[in-house]
Amino acid sequence: MARRTRTRFWDPSGRRYGIPTYPRKKIPAHLRTLRQLAAEGLRPGDQGPQAQVLWCSRVPGPPRVRAAYVYDVRLALPKRTPGQRIRATAPKGRTCPECLTEAIDRRLGVCPDCAEEAAA
Ligand SMILES: [Zn+2]
């Protein structure tokens, strides 16, 4: 019984679960949850989940299996700053790339304030 519990979530090849699967205490060192990546100032980048971690919830009630995706820290990228995030999601051609306002002058490529500042 104890043995079955220990190996239940052990599936590095993903044959049983369709994705490589580890119990919480046997996660390879290079894999991180989103929260762990964020704590290190990282985001997954272009990679999808590399594996999943399964464990039994300890919340009272019927036993529930919980899952978390994990990502390869070696493929992770630095977290974006708030400014980078705005630039990445802002509609192109409308937002001033310097100060991130929406009052861009299309001929100048930036807003009038930034153009004036650049000229000064
Ligand atoms: Zn501007």
Short mmCIF file of all heavy atoms in Angstrom, two decimals, residues 95-105 109-115 117, ligand 1:
data_model
loop_
_atom_site.label_atom_id
_atom_site.label_comp_id
_atom_site.label_asym_id
_atom_site.label_seq_id
_atom_site.Cartn_x
_atom_site.Cartn_y
_atom_site.Cartn_z
N THR A 95 0.43 53.91 -29.35
CA THR A 95 1.00 54.27 -28.07
C THR A 95 2.42 54.80 -28.25
O THR A 95 3.22 54.21 -28.95
CB THR A 95 1.04 53.04 -27.15
OG1 THR A 95 -0.27 52.50 -27.08
CG2 THR A 95 1.52 53.41 -25.77
N CYS A 96 2.69 55.92 -27.63
CA CYS A 96 4.03 56.49 -27.68
C CYS A 96 5.03 55.52 -27.05
O CYS A 96 4.85 55.10 -25.90
CB CYS A 96 4.06 57.82 -26.93
SG CYS A 96 5.73 58.47 -26.76
N PRO A 97 6.05 55.09 -27.78
CA PRO A 97 6.99 54.10 -27.24
C PRO A 97 7.86 54.67 -26.12
O PRO A 97 8.48 53.91 -25.39
CB PRO A 97 7.84 53.72 -28.45
CG PRO A 97 7.73 54.88 -29.39
CD PRO A 97 6.38 55.49 -29.15
N GLU A 98 7.89 56.00 -25.99
CA GLU A 98 8.74 56.61 -24.96
C GLU A 98 8.03 56.69 -23.62
O GLU A 98 8.55 56.26 -22.61
CB GLU A 98 9.17 58.02 -25.40
CG GLU A 98 10.05 58.05 -26.64
CD GLU A 98 11.39 57.35 -26.39
OE1 GLU A 98 11.94 57.48 -25.29
OE2 GLU A 98 11.86 56.68 -27.32
N CYS A 99 6.84 57.27 -23.62
CA CYS A 99 6.17 57.52 -22.34
C CYS A 99 4.90 56.68 -22.20
O CYS A 99 4.26 56.72 -21.16
CB CYS A 99 5.82 58.99 -22.20
SG CYS A 99 4.59 59.53 -23.41
N LEU A 100 4.55 55.92 -23.24
CA LEU A 100 3.43 54.97 -23.16
C LEU A 100 2.07 55.64 -23.05
O LEU A 100 1.12 55.04 -22.58
CB LEU A 100 3.63 53.98 -22.00
CG LEU A 100 4.96 53.23 -22.01
CD1 LEU A 100 5.09 52.37 -20.77
CD2 LEU A 100 5.08 52.37 -23.26
N THR A 101 1.97 56.93 -23.46
CA THR A 101 0.64 57.54 -23.55
C THR A 101 0.05 57.15 -24.90
O THR A 101 0.75 56.64 -25.77
CB THR A 101 0.69 59.08 -23.46
OG1 THR A 101 1.31 59.57 -24.64
CG2 THR A 101 1.45 59.52 -22.23
N GLU A 102 -1.21 57.45 -25.08
CA GLU A 102 -1.84 57.10 -26.34
C GLU A 102 -1.92 58.29 -27.29
O GLU A 102 -2.49 58.19 -28.36
CB GLU A 102 -3.25 56.54 -26.09
CG GLU A 102 -3.17 55.27 -25.27
CD GLU A 102 -4.21 54.25 -25.68
OE1 GLU A 102 -5.04 54.54 -26.56
OE2 GLU A 102 -4.19 53.17 -25.10
N ALA A 103 -1.37 59.43 -26.87
CA ALA A 103 -1.45 60.63 -27.69
C ALA A 103 -0.29 60.70 -28.68
O ALA A 103 0.45 61.66 -28.74
CB ALA A 103 -1.45 61.87 -26.78
N ILE A 104 -0.12 59.66 -29.44
CA ILE A 104 1.01 59.61 -30.36
C ILE A 104 0.73 60.44 -31.60
O ILE A 104 -0.40 60.54 -32.07
CB ILE A 104 1.30 58.14 -30.75
CG1 ILE A 104 2.63 58.04 -31.53
CG2 ILE A 104 0.15 57.54 -31.54
CD1 ILE A 104 3.08 56.62 -31.76
N ASP A 105 1.78 61.10 -32.10
CA ASP A 105 1.71 61.78 -33.39
C ASP A 105 2.34 60.85 -34.41
O ASP A 105 3.52 60.54 -34.35
CB ASP A 105 2.48 63.12 -33.31
CG ASP A 105 2.36 63.91 -34.61
OD1 ASP A 105 2.47 63.30 -35.69
OD2 ASP A 105 2.14 65.14 -34.53
N GLY A 109 6.15 59.62 -34.64
CA GLY A 109 6.44 58.30 -34.09
C GLY A 109 6.37 58.27 -32.57
O GLY A 109 6.43 57.21 -31.96
N VAL A 110 6.29 59.45 -31.96
CA VAL A 110 6.13 59.54 -30.51
C VAL A 110 5.09 60.61 -30.24
O VAL A 110 4.59 61.27 -31.16
CB VAL A 110 7.46 59.91 -29.80
CG1 VAL A 110 8.47 58.77 -29.89
CG2 VAL A 110 8.03 61.19 -30.38
N CYS A 111 4.76 60.83 -28.96
CA CYS A 111 3.79 61.88 -28.66
C CYS A 111 4.46 63.25 -28.78
O CYS A 111 5.69 63.34 -28.71
CB CYS A 111 3.20 61.66 -27.26
SG CYS A 111 4.37 61.98 -25.94
N PRO A 112 3.71 64.34 -28.93
CA PRO A 112 4.30 65.67 -29.07
C PRO A 112 5.25 66.03 -27.93
O PRO A 112 6.28 66.66 -28.15
CB PRO A 112 3.07 66.59 -29.10
CG PRO A 112 1.96 65.73 -29.60
CD PRO A 112 2.25 64.35 -29.08
N ASP A 113 4.90 65.63 -26.71
CA ASP A 113 5.77 65.95 -25.57
C ASP A 113 7.14 65.33 -25.72
O ASP A 113 8.17 65.97 -25.51
CB ASP A 113 5.13 65.44 -24.27
CG ASP A 113 3.93 66.28 -23.87
OD1 ASP A 113 3.75 67.37 -24.48
OD2 ASP A 113 3.19 65.86 -22.97
N CYS A 114 7.17 64.05 -26.12
CA CYS A 114 8.45 63.35 -26.25
C CYS A 114 9.25 63.91 -27.43
O CYS A 114 10.47 63.96 -27.39
CB CYS A 114 8.23 61.85 -26.41
SG CYS A 114 7.69 61.06 -24.89
N ALA A 115 8.52 64.30 -28.50
CA ALA A 115 9.20 64.86 -29.67
C ALA A 115 9.89 66.16 -29.28
O ALA A 115 11.03 66.43 -29.66
CB ALA A 115 8.19 65.10 -30.79
N GLU A 117 10.84 67.03 -26.27
CA GLU A 117 11.94 66.70 -25.38
C GLU A 117 13.16 66.22 -26.16
O GLU A 117 14.29 66.57 -25.86
CB GLU A 117 11.48 65.61 -24.41
CG GLU A 117 12.12 65.67 -23.04
CD GLU A 117 11.44 64.72 -22.10
OE1 GLU A 117 10.31 65.02 -21.67
OE2 GLU A 117 12.00 63.65 -21.86
ZN ZN B 1 5.58 60.23 -25.33
#
